[in-house]
Amino acid sequence: MVWGWVAVCFFTLQVGLALAEISSAYPTSGGLYWWAARLSTRRYAPVASWFSGWFNLIGQFAVTAGIDYGLALMIAAVISIGQHGEWVPTAGATTGIHIAICVSHGVANSLGPGVMRRINSFSTWWQVICPLVTIITILACAPSHQTGTFVFSHFNNNSGWESTGYVVLCGLLQAQFTLTGYDSSAHMSEETKNAEISGPVGMVMAIVVSAVMGFIFIVGFLFCIQDLDATIATSTNFPVMQIIVDSVGEKGGIVLMVMMILACWFCGFASVTANSRMIYAFSRDGAMPGSKYWHKVNKKMQTPVNAVWLSVFVASILGLPSLGNETAFSAITSVATIGLYLSYAIPIAAKIINRKAFRPGPLHLGRFSEVIGGIALIWISFITVLFVLPPEYPITAVNMNYACLAVGLVIIGAGGKI
């Protein structure tokens, strides 16, 4: 887990740098699909823009759903611990919580830029303070600690697959899913001062800060595992909760989990914000069914409210498959990761192929531009194939990874509209 995180962070930074360079040259809320059109030749610009936009849109829908469903799992785990294990989370209860969380994000995103600005300001500090407080507390209070050998070299395989390499690679999914959405800075460009600088800086810093804090978080939690088997088999369905409770007790665990829940709520809030701005920009260019409804801006709230609630509705619907499929959450994260990274790949590839079309902005990579862009494209190609593969064996209709079906439908559906 530790070294998988490090590897994913390194390659994600290459993708982020490649996108940041483009963002500095072309700051616009359309972001990826606009860049794809601008950097492609006249013949291929419509196709590149269309697919980049749709992959990004579907990826953002899935990211919002993934964040909010993960948050629902956390809340359900806290309730279970608060009831001393007498209540065990069911798929129906978790899905209901997921929908309620989506609605709360819709309400918060409909209150106008003033409220949203204050939420984002508080979120910035909370996202740093919360992980540090949590890690310091559990490390200080844990009855015992694992050895460095366990943390940095222990390998555990509960997937059913015998290939160690394959299992390691499948384990990269959650890390890669965590490092998505940094293109949000681009989607907010038209609402940002000095966007040609603040946008790309925001992209890169989002990856760097997440990489550092994530490493600290992962290592800290691994050191505090008391019983690995019991942690994996926890009745809360959320092993992180079990680690916290084993370290600080039920009451302390609930306090720390509430802090983490608030931090994750802020992530979901930001995801809906970015998703709604993408819907607004994409529909403004007439690229979505019902475009005339989605790019309307509420004059009182100065917010694309219709776009906000479309984002909420789709994210809520994407949580429903979890009622009957135990790997649905994994499929959602796969779709989110693949969709977003394919949308990242198209403008990067267009910039490399059609070099003369690119005019660097204030921040650029200079002679390293093509090398970093090439590494980014190789990595995206690799994870696109990897994350549609089945994570568990034997493969059944219940545990099958349906991300391949979802991605295929996007390609066929979007392709049929060209």
Side-chain angles (χ1 to χ4, degrees):
M1 180 179 287
V2 174
W3 301 117
W5 176 260
V6 172
V8 168
C9 288
F10 171 78
F11 287 109
T12 300
L13 183 59
Q14 311 311 304
V15 179
L17 287 170
L19 289 178
E21 181 180 43
I22 301 174
S23 175
S24 180
Y26 312 109
T28 172
S29 61
L32 298 151
Y33 78 88
W34 195 95
W35 301 339
R38 176 64 179 78
L39 295 170
S40 298
T41 61
R42 181 174 298 182
R43 178 181 178 183
Y44 294 106
V47 175
S49 178
W50 184 262
F51 276 106
S52 183
W54 274 102
F55 276 126
N56 189 247
L57 183 63
I58 298 301
Q60 287 195 12
F61 282 139
V63 162
T64 301
I67 292 171
D68 285 0
Y69 195 83
L71 182 51
L73 290 172
M74 295 173 69
I75 293 174
V78 169
I79 296 173
S80 179
I81 293 297
Q83 296 293 317
H84 307 292
E86 294 180 6
W87 180 78
V88 177
T90 63
T94 304
T95 302
I97 297 171
H98 163 76
I99 293 173
I101 293 167
C102 290
V103 171
S104 73
H105 286 141
V107 172
N109 270 279
S110 300
L111 297 178
V115 174
M116 294 172 65
R117 193 178 303 113
R118 286 191 286 272
I119 291 175
N120 284 325
S121 296
F122 182 74
S123 171
T124 300
W125 291 102
W126 192 259
Q127 300 289 3
V128 175
I129 293 172
C130 175
L132 290 177
V133 170
T134 301
I135 291 301
I136 292 172
T137 302
I138 64 173
L139 284 172
C141 298
S144 62
H145 298 93
Q146 296 288 346
T147 64
T149 301
F150 173 85
V151 172
F152 295 104
S153 63
H154 179 76
F155 177 75
N156 189 69
N157 179 12
N158 291 321
S159 68
W161 292 102
E162 295 183 0
S163 172
T164 299
Y166 180 77
V167 174
V168 170
L169 293 176
C170 286
L172 299 179
L173 173 59
Q174 295 305 322
Q176 191 65 78
F177 171 71
T178 302
L179 294 168
T180 55
Y182 42 86
D183 59 308
S184 298
S185 297
H187 297 302
M188 299 300 292
S189 292
E190 294 178 19
E191 302 172 54
T192 306
K193 294 181 179 179
N194 300 318
E196 66 277 7
I197 294 177
S198 57
V201 169
M203 279 190 189
V204 175
M205 288 307 298
I207 297 171
V208 172
V209 172
S210 295
V212 174
M213 296 305 298
F215 183 83
I216 295 172
F217 208 66
I218 291 170
V219 171
F221 268 90
L222 290 176
F223 269 116
C224 293
I225 292 176
Q226 302 301 303
D227 184 326
L228 179 60
D229 293 333
T231 298
I232 294 172
T234 176
S235 61
T236 66
N237 295 326
F238 200 72
V240 168
M241 179 76 199
Q242 192 63 50
I243 296 172
I244 294 175
V245 170
D246 289 343
S247 298
V248 301
E250 288 188 0
K251 292 183 179 179
I254 291 174
V255 171
L256 292 178
M257 279 296 290
V258 169
M259 292 175 61
M260 292 172 60
I261 285 170
L262 184 57
C264 290
W265 187 92
F266 287 136
C267 290
F269 169 83
S271 182
V272 171
T273 303
N275 196 183
S276 63
R277 272 34 176 200
M278 172 58 189
I279 294 169
Y280 165 78
F282 210 34
S283 61
R284 183 178 59 184
D285 292 332
M288 291 181 62
S291 288
K292 64 179 181 179
Y293 301 107
W294 312 129
H295 74 269
K296 287 185 177 180
V297 176
N298 184 286
K299 294 182 180 179
K300 181 178 180 181
M301 295 300 178
Q302 298 180 332
T303 299
V305 174
N306 291 352
V308 167
W309 286 98
L310 176 61
S311 172
V312 168
F313 175 75
V314 175
S316 299
I317 295 299
L318 288 177
L320 298 181
S322 297
L323 292 171
N325 190 307
E326 62 185 29
T327 61
F329 179 68
S330 177
I332 291 172
T333 55
S334 293
V335 170
T337 305
I338 294 169
L340 288 179
Y341 276 88
L342 284 176
S343 72
Y344 299 165
I346 294 173
I348 295 173
K351 182 179 74 69
I352 293 176
I353 295 171
N354 192 26
R355 303 174 189 175
K356 295 181 179 179
F358 181 66
R359 297 291 182 269
L363 301 180
H364 58 87
L365 300 173
R367 61 180 179 176
F368 298 105
S369 178
E370 291 187 16
V371 174
I372 290 175
I375 294 173
L377 290 177
I378 292 171
W379 178 248
I380 293 171
S381 300
F382 173 68
I383 62 174
T384 298
V385 174
L386 178 63
F387 294 157
V388 297
L389 299 177
E392 298 181 14
Y393 186 86
I395 304 168
T396 66
V398 175
N399 67 20
M400 174 63 183
N401 183 355
Y402 289 98
C404 53
L405 175 61
V407 173
L409 288 174
V410 173
I411 294 174
I412 295 171
K417 297 292 185 180
I418 296 177

